[in-house]
Amino acid sequence: MLNLDAKQIVDCLTMDGLIHTMRASYQIPATTPQRRVMPLAESGYEAFALLPAWNEHLITVKAFTYFPENHLEEKDSLASKILAFDRRNGEPLALLDGKVLTYWRTAAASALAADYLSRRDSQQLLICGTGNLAPYIAWAYAAVRPLTKVVVWGRDVQKAKRCVDAIISGKEYQNLPVDRQYTVEVTMDIDQAVSDADIVSCVTGATSALFSSASVMEGTHIDLIGNHDKDKRECDSELVQRSQVYVDSKINVLAEAGDLLIPIAENVFKQEQIQGELPDLCAARNSGRKCADAITLYKSVGSALADLIAVQHVLFNYSQQQ
């Protein structure tokens, strides 16, 4: 059985290649049961989660732990492994580092959704959040849109500056294109940055809306990644009302995501108003953006299908390298 560490996985990846594989593979039938996120204590946010999926070739299950206070001991808050089995006979094939692959597949899936939902001439990306995922968002969106400017907002300006440096340097992205066409800078004025942006991607641990709906201009695409809690959100209810709403997985989003569950509880949005899921877009069951001035919103909480596809992509490329 293979045991692939973070470096071996990154050596098998390019953002263009992963997005291409996801686009094709999301059209293939697969089984993705609801993911299980289980609190480890009555108080606090420590959690253990399982994300299973399978198709005609592969079975995968990702296990991860989330300990948000680990940073106080200079340890990572997230730990993750993915186990892959042969679908034909159930034999274990590989154990993969789940953390680095999650960064890649999350960013790639958001960029893939944006390829259907954002305006094709979108040039300015705002990233709200300065954590480990933020640089991958910039690299992924640059693979699908002609970005000329990436703006980073965070509550801690020093962390925002480090995020900018990471985006530019391409640390942990071995195949960063050398012909990067966009500038990268920090902002501390989130509402102005939202007004100026063509695409807004939120990757934060926010408990309430980061900005006012009034700041969002017509034609903007909103990408909400950070929140996985029923009582928290990154955008306000008015923005959800104004938007054409899409999700990565209804079964998971409607079980976890306060971004939509709070407006539903307020009776200002109905789950039937969700336009579609990412597989619907890839399979052309839904056409995506309806017009240039529409506001589109994509909410994801993480799909086991994305894990499955990313693992297939890595295992294929690894076999080609051997």
Side-chain angles (χ1 to χ4, degrees):
M1 185 176 75
L2 295 174
N3 191 343
L4 301 184
D5 62 22
K7 183 181 185 307
Q8 290 172 304
I9 290 170
V10 172
D11 286 343
C12 294
L13 291 168
T14 65
M15 202 60 78
D16 284 338
L18 182 55
I19 292 171
H20 175 77
T21 296
M22 282 186 155
R23 191 189 308 275
S25 298
Y26 265 113
Q27 302 177 43
I28 299 172
T31 301
T32 53
Q34 183 175 343
R35 70 185 217 154
R36 294 287 307 279
V37 181
M38 296 158 280
L40 295 174
E42 292 184 7
S43 59
Y45 296 104
E46 294 88 356
F48 173 64
L50 292 171
L51 286 76
W54 57 90
N55 61 16
E56 60 180 343
H57 302 293
L58 202 65
I59 304 166
T60 59
V61 59
K62 180 166 74 177
F64 73 80
T65 57
Y66 178 58
F67 283 68
E69 300 302 317
N70 271 6
H71 68 92
L72 300 175
E73 300 179 16
E74 298 185 350
K75 295 180 179 180
D76 290 340
S77 60
L78 185 70
S80 178
K81 292 289 183 181
I82 302 176
L83 187 59
F85 303 84
D86 191 321
R87 177 64 180 85
R88 296 169 301 175
N89 52 34
E91 292 185 354
L93 296 175
L95 181 68
L96 302 92
D97 180 274
K99 187 166 69 171
V100 68
L101 195 55
T102 296
Y103 294 149
W104 277 80
R105 67 81 154 148
T106 302
S110 276
L112 176 57
D115 198 30
Y116 297 99
L117 300 177
S118 67
R119 299 192 324 273
R120 294 208 167 271
D121 62 351
S122 296
Q123 296 183 7
Q124 187 155 323
L125 167 67
L126 169 64
I127 301 173
C128 300
T130 58
N132 292 326
L133 179 58
Y136 294 86
I137 296 299
W139 303 327
Y141 270 94
V144 298
R145 288 294 178 263
L147 298 184
T148 59
K149 188 176 184 179
V150 174
V151 179
V152 177
W153 173 87
R155 293 186 175 88
D156 185 322
V157 67
Q158 295 305 316
K159 288 183 179 179
K161 289 178 179 178
R162 287 196 292 271
C163 182
V164 166
D165 291 341
I167 293 170
I168 294 171
S169 70
K171 183 181 179 183
E172 297 187 15
Y173 185 7
Q174 308 290 67
N175 300 301
L176 182 69
V178 295
D179 58 342
R180 176 176 55 84
Q181 299 296 314
Y182 53 88
T183 61
V184 191
E185 63 184 50
V186 171
T187 184
M188 297 308 292
D189 188 343
I190 187 171
D191 286 302
Q192 184 60 54
V194 168
S195 295
D196 293 339
D198 299 308
I199 300 168
V200 180
S201 183
C202 300
V203 285
T204 75
T207 59
S208 59
L210 295 165
F211 50 84
S212 168
S213 172
S215 302
V216 179
M217 299 294 102
E218 292 183 348
T220 305
H221 174 60
I222 305 294
D223 177 27
L224 303 177
I225 303 173
N227 170 54
H228 297 177
D229 294 295
K230 295 179 181 179
D231 59 345
K232 301 179 178 62
R233 55 180 170 176
E234 293 181 297
C235 79
D236 59 25
S237 296
E238 182 181 349
L239 182 56
V240 174
Q241 289 178 280
R242 294 175 62 198
S243 302
Q244 297 173 1
V245 177
Y246 297 79
V247 298
D248 62 340
S249 164
K250 287 183 182 179
I251 191 172
N252 292 321
V253 166
L254 293 173
E256 299 179 33
D259 308 83
L260 299 188
L261 292 175
I262 294 172
I264 289 172
E266 294 171 343
N267 293 317
V268 297
F269 182 77
K270 297 179 180 179
Q271 66 181 65
E272 292 79 16
Q273 292 176 260
I274 296 173
Q275 303 283 313
E277 300 173 299
L278 183 52
D280 297 324
L281 295 168
C282 295
R285 292 189 293 268
N286 188 294
S287 61
R289 171 173 285 273
K290 303 297 190 294
C291 58
D293 61 355
I295 297 172
T296 53
L297 186 152
Y298 177 70
K299 174 59 192 171
S300 64
V301 295
S303 166
L305 180 55
D307 295 322
L308 174 70
I309 294 169
V311 169
Q312 282 189 275
H313 183 76
V314 167
L315 293 181
F316 175 78
N317 287 341
Y318 183 81
S319 69
Q320 297 298 107
Q321 295 172 4
Q322 301 311 299

